Amino acid sequence: MTIRDTITMKPRYFLTILLFVSHSCWCTNREYRGYKGGIWTVMNILVMNCGSSSLKFQLIDAETESVKAKGLCERIGIDGSRIVYRPANKEKVIEEAPMPTHAAAINIALKYLTDEIHGVISDLSEIDAVGHRVAQGAEKFSKAVLIDDAVIKAIDENSELAPLHNPANLTGIQVCRALMPDVPMAAVFDTAFHQTMPQKAYLYGIPFHYYTDYKVRRYGFHGTSHSYVSKRTAQILGKAPEELKTIVCHLGNGSSVCAVKGGKSVDTSMGFTPISGLVMGTRCGDVDPEIIEYIAEKEGITTHDVMDILNRKSGIYGLTDGIVDFRDLRAGAASGDEQCMRALEIFNYHVTTRIGAYAAAMNGVDAIAFTAGIGENAPTIRKAVCENLTYLGIELDDAKNDANEPDSVITTPESKVKVLIVPTNEELMIARETAEVVME
Ligand code: AMP
């Protein structure tokens, strides 16, 4: 019997009522399961990352920081939706299941987590807190917060700044709240870490009232990743974050660079939206705004159409014959394909020049950390990026760079600036911030 069969067979509301009653009891006493006498002994945190057509989730044991189970629901609201579910120490499960809505996907995810065979908890009452990734917190949120009606309203109001992301994040929150009404939930914002940027870094050279009237400014994204990686970098180097000037290069499907001074973000390459900064898989990165109207006129299309092209058909995809995956790009470049070589050179160049800019912004740099799919796995890209940074005092150790070891320093002991590979862990960071918020 599949999870889907179970869902359709069992009266769902009975479980919800049962949960409501049991949670009401422990919440009013503040004697959470595992929270006795002011000390946490057990805490299962469910991390939810709800995208427009996908849901990523992880159940994390806050005490050991281990992942009990994780999963991905794909193609929500589209034909061919499926769940890939990976419980720790058990068989991976892939099931094609109709997921017409996010509610259906979340129900399936929760059913897997509590399933007799595949599950890792016996029922939903073992979930102590839920942490939701939210894309845009704008100036309202400079840290994670406990979700209440006012927070939901604010996330909704921020949807106009992130129309592709915030509504999906909000749906995830609302569905989880309906299913687990008394479980404390936190919103962890992609933008929050960058709220420490000074005005000189976040204001654009446009009429000032666009900022005051319409909130047009640089927000930056990938904040959870930049925060995690900069802290982990300090830990690996045996320093306090306050002592370091670090540049984090989050290079993945979306890419951004962040200057972190004394543990705080002081500048980052993504801006008002995640389209700007580096050349990415399908996004153009920084372009002259005149290009938009010019192309629209030349092609006889609207500026809206051009924006769509700049978001979905540009970057590496646009520079090549539709390549998005950097593994294919590297393979193409290695085999001498000119388009691939050119696109890769452009990507690397933009990362290098951004690092140079941020070294200038901080008047120096102690460490450069590479993270995310490309940053963690592509030695040739790290080497090419660092090639023109010898003036900063970087001496790459080729053997260490090629070894691709997670959490490793890949420069020589003499290198003035340390370069590291630091795998990002946004889910763990969300779980940590959720635990903090819930315990406040
Ligand atoms: P992420 O968004 O962090 O999941 O990163 C996804 C990106 O990492 C994709 O473009 C992948 O092609 C890229 N990636 C994964 N492994 C490698 C690799 N060995 N070399 C180059 N790129 C990689």
Side-chain angles (χ1 to χ4, degrees):
M1 185 189 289
T2 65
I3 292 286
R4 185 154 44 91
D5 298 331
T6 329
I7 292 168
T8 45
M9 277 178 61
K10 279 190 183 167
R12 284 176 231 165
Y13 297 117
F14 175 69
L15 182 63
T16 311
I17 291 164
L18 206 70
L19 280 171
F20 180 77
V21 173
S22 61
H23 276 279
S24 302
C25 296
W26 58 255
C27 277
T28 44
N29 295 335
R30 262 196 84 79
E31 281 292 313
Y32 296 67
R33 192 188 65 80
Y35 183 70
K36 301 246 159 33
I39 298 168
W40 286 99
T41 49
V42 183
M43 192 176 184
N44 288 324
I45 300 181
L46 178 63
V47 174
M48 301 291 277
N49 183 355
C50 221
S52 53
S53 65
S54 71
L55 162 70
K56 286 188 208 148
F57 62 94
Q58 281 195 12
L59 188 70
I60 295 179
D61 179 329
E63 207 184 11
T64 60
E65 298 203 327
S66 60
V67 178
K68 290 191 163 175
K70 61 180 171 183
L72 168 66
C73 299
E74 294 174 294
R75 301 179 65 83
I76 299 170
I78 310 169
D79 280 351
S81 46
R82 64 172 201 162
I83 180 169
V84 181
Y85 171 74
R86 292 186 168 86
N89 308 319
K90 290 187 187 180
E91 285 282 296
K92 174 173 100 171
V93 187
I94 301 176
E95 189 200 350
E96 302 252 337
M99 298 178 204
T101 60
H102 284 82
I106 292 171
N107 263 301
I108 291 175
L110 294 179
K111 287 292 175 186
Y112 264 108
L113 288 172
T114 54
D115 181 58
E116 248 176 58
I117 299 163
H118 307 290
V120 290
I121 50 175
S122 49
D123 60 57
L124 292 185
S125 69
E126 289 186 35
I127 295 175
D128 299 295
V130 182
H132 293 271
R133 181 181 189 177
V134 179
Q136 179 56 274
E139 292 188 344
K140 181 109 186 159
F141 299 109
S142 55
K143 61 187 181 87
V145 289
L146 199 61
I147 295 175
D148 58 18
D149 291 343
V151 169
I152 288 187
K153 186 165 174 278
I155 294 171
D156 191 28
E157 281 164 7
N158 285 337
S159 286
E160 64 175 350
L161 297 174
L164 293 179
H165 298 96
N166 272 31
N169 304 152
L170 207 47
T171 305
I173 292 172
Q174 279 160 337
V175 173
C176 283
R177 276 186 116 202
L179 288 169
M180 297 175 270
D182 291 302
V183 176
M185 300 194 188
V188 181
F189 301 92
D190 270 10
T191 49
F193 183 61
H194 301 301
Q195 279 297 305
T196 47
M197 280 191 290
Q199 274 204 332
K200 64 183 176 189
Y202 73 69
L203 282 184
Y204 292 117
I206 55 177
F208 187 68
H209 74 93
Y210 291 161
Y211 166 59
T212 50
D213 291 347
Y214 309 128
K215 306 177 192 166
V216 177
R217 51 158 286 178
R218 179 188 306 281
Y219 289 105
F221 296 85
H222 292 144
T224 309
S225 175
H226 289 301
S227 168
Y228 174 84
V229 172
S230 57
K231 288 179 178 68
R232 184 83 186 107
T233 299
Q235 199 179 32
I236 294 167
L237 294 177
K239 304 260 184 192
E242 293 71 28
E243 294 175 77
L244 288 180
K245 294 171 182 171
T246 305
I247 296 175
V248 180
C249 304
H250 178 115
L251 311 179
N253 273 329
S255 296
S256 69
V257 181
C258 181
V260 185
K261 191 175 182 184
K264 295 191 162 80
S265 168
V266 293
D267 205 348
T268 191
S269 59
M270 282 180 172
F272 180 60
T273 72
I275 197 178
S276 68
L278 303 176
V279 169
M280 298 172 232
T282 65
R283 285 171 250 169
C284 59
D286 288 346
V287 294
D288 182 335
E290 277 293 346
I291 289 172
I292 298 166
E293 200 173 33
Y294 184 79
I295 297 287
E297 273 171 26
K298 287 281 176 201
E299 296 265 308
I301 54 180
T302 64
T303 53
H304 185 266
D305 295 333
V306 178
M307 284 313 302
D308 195 54
I309 292 165
L310 296 182
N311 261 307
R312 295 178 213 275
K313 299 273 166 61
S314 299
I316 300 304
Y317 179 97
L319 287 165
T320 60
D321 275 334
I323 290 177
V324 176
D325 195 302
F326 271 69
R327 280 165 291 206
D328 300 335
L329 185 71
R330 283 178 73 202
S335 70
D337 180 284
E338 262 186 42
Q339 276 189 332
C340 291
M341 287 164 70
R342 184 170 53 224
L344 199 51
E345 210 178 2
I346 293 169
F347 177 82
N348 296 341
Y349 176 74
H350 282 260
V351 180
T352 304
T353 53
R354 190 61 70 156
I355 291 173
Y358 289 164
M362 296 192 287
N363 191 19
V365 53
D366 301 304
I368 298 172
F370 285 92
T371 192
I374 302 161
E376 292 166 29
N377 297 302
T380 49
I381 292 180
R382 290 191 299 261
K383 187 175 165 67
V385 165
C386 290
E387 224 148 49
N388 264 12
L389 298 175
T390 49
Y391 78 98
L392 288 175
I394 290 179
E395 270 183 46
L396 214 59
D397 180 322
D398 285 337
K400 286 182 184 160
N401 182 39
D402 291 343
N404 247 355
E405 201 63 47
D407 292 329
S408 67
V409 178
I410 57 169
T411 37
T412 64
E414 294 74 37
S415 183
K416 199 167 144 252
V417 177
K418 305 296 174 205
V419 179
L420 299 92
I421 303 169
V422 181
T424 192
N425 196 337
E426 288 163 290
E427 289 78 13
L428 177 58
M429 196 70 201
I430 292 172
R432 282 179 184 168
E433 295 200 7
T434 300
E436 255 179 58
V437 161
V438 167
M439 284 188 271
E440 255 170 21

